[in-house]
Amino acid sequence: MIGWRKEKTAFALSGGGARGAAQVGMLRALLEAGIRPDLVVGTSVGAWNGAWLASDPTATSLGRLAEVWRQISRASFDMVWWRAARNMVRRRPSLYDGRGIARLLARYLRVHTFEDLAVPLHVVAIDLSNGRKAVFSSGPLTPAVLASSAIPGIFPPISIDGRQHVDGGMVDPTGLETAVELGARRVFVLDCGYAGRLAAPLGSMNAVVDHAFQIAAQHRTRWTMERLGRKAEIVHLRPSVGFLKQSMDFGYTQSYIDEGYRYAREALSRQGRGRAGWSSQRPVAPAKAPI
């Protein structure tokens, strides 16, 4: 039987906007179970959480990250309707100018370059110049994280080395594909997306766009898991309870953190805490009872 630490282990953190708070709980459960990453891959909001984790992969650090999440609101990104309307009339490349999200990152990100991190981090974006996936692993950290989370049409593209980049969620929603390409043979996928059935019709343009994007992301994730299942051991962690909320709705942060922790802790307990021999190419069933 292959020893737990003999193969390269990756944490792949998906996009999902406000639902990214659930990754804080899932990360806490993984660290408590003694599972540590040899590398971290982050896409969109997963790049934010991934950068924080890679700088200091400890329970104390995650406690601080949880506090940061509790302080974030839609207003933190300067996402107000009149700015969006003004930019639309002026035919700007995005509804919001991105200064709010840049200030937020500058305020909370504690390191400045990939080389400053304690664990190797790889950030996924899309290079609009050539239409390909871009993976950032060195150099300045802030531009890469901003690029990975620059939702097209919502936030402006981020220029890096003269090339425009946007959110990587449309090419590698969870970072799983990138993790395997980088040599990981055991990947814990922390998926905070959703594509469940709706209890009622969607009532806004934002909700329709968000839900359609999540459906596409989950199709891409399932296809990637089927394709790479023989190359790596894939542990797909995706809580489902209470996740039918819009990506920019920050009113559920604490419930997301709690559910992510509860779900991952119980899943790890059922599966032997991630020891060698654990292989799961399907999402682990959500936990039924709170801790």
Side-chain angles (χ1 to χ4, degrees):
M1 182 175 292
I2 297 174
W4 171 241
R5 296 297 296 174
K6 290 183 180 180
E7 290 195 339
K8 188 178 290 186
T9 297
F11 287 2
L13 284 69
S14 80
R19 296 181 300 274
Q23 292 175 346
V24 180
M26 288 191 276
L27 287 169
R28 176 187 166 194
L30 286 165
L31 294 187
E32 286 182 354
I35 303 171
R36 298 290 190 274
D38 297 305
L39 63 97
V40 177
V41 178
T43 301
S44 197
V45 74
W48 290 62
N49 287 333
W52 189 286
L53 174 72
S55 69
D56 183 11
T58 65
T60 300
S61 175
L62 289 180
R64 292 194 295 268
L65 179 58
E67 287 300 320
V68 171
W69 268 100
R70 295 185 190 104
Q71 296 172 31
I72 295 175
S73 67
R74 189 181 179 90
S76 303
F77 299 92
D78 285 343
M79 295 183 69
V80 293
W81 69 267
W82 63 265
R83 286 195 178 95
R86 180 188 62 188
N87 287 335
M88 183 176 291
V89 170
R90 294 178 177 178
R91 295 185 179 182
R92 298 288 173 81
S94 62
L95 295 179
Y96 303 98
D97 60 25
R99 286 180 290 185
I101 192 172
R103 286 196 299 268
L104 190 69
L105 191 60
R107 178 180 179 183
Y108 291 116
L109 198 61
R110 297 168 297 172
V111 298
H112 301 291
T113 70
F114 284 87
E115 290 74 17
D116 294 330
L117 298 170
V119 176
L121 172 70
H122 309 274
V123 171
V124 180
I126 296 174
D127 185 337
L128 293 180
S129 302
N130 59 21
R132 298 178 180 177
K133 178 173 71 174
V135 179
F136 297 100
S137 306
S138 62
L141 186 57
T142 297
V145 174
L146 288 174
S148 182
S149 53
I151 305 171
I154 304 298
F155 298 116
I158 301 299
S159 179
I160 300 176
D161 295 331
R163 307 171 78 90
Q164 288 186 315
H165 298 83
V166 295
D167 195 311
M170 289 177 288
V171 292
D172 193 2
T174 64
L176 168 60
E177 182 178 65
T178 301
V180 175
E181 290 173 350
L182 290 167
R185 290 299 172 261
R186 180 177 290 105
V187 185
F188 289 87
V189 180
L190 282 65
D191 190 349
C192 59
Y194 70 86
R197 294 183 179 181
L198 296 173
L202 297 169
S204 70
M205 178 182 68
N206 288 343
V208 171
V209 172
D210 186 33
H211 194 65
F213 180 84
Q214 293 302 322
I215 290 172
Q218 289 303 318
H219 275 280
R220 172 77 182 190
T221 297
R222 285 194 293 269
W223 177 82
T224 302
M225 290 171 63
E226 291 173 358
R227 183 169 63 90
L228 299 179
R230 293 184 179 181
K231 294 183 178 181
E233 184 179 6
I234 302 168
V235 183
H236 187 197
L237 300 173
R238 180 167 67 92
S240 60
V241 178
F243 266 55
L244 293 180
K245 305 291 189 295
Q246 293 185 39
S247 62
M248 296 309 295
D249 187 345
F250 290 89
Y252 300 87
T253 294
Q254 189 59 53
S255 64
Y256 286 159
I257 293 174
D258 293 342
E259 172 62 16
Y261 176 71
R262 179 181 70 87
Y263 162 79
R265 178 174 155 177
E266 193 160 316
L268 292 170
S269 177
R270 290 198 309 271
Q271 298 292 337
R273 300 181 64 183
R275 290 192 298 266
W278 178 6
S279 181
S280 174
Q281 294 183 37
R282 296 183 180 181
V284 180
K288 295 181 179 180
I291 293 173

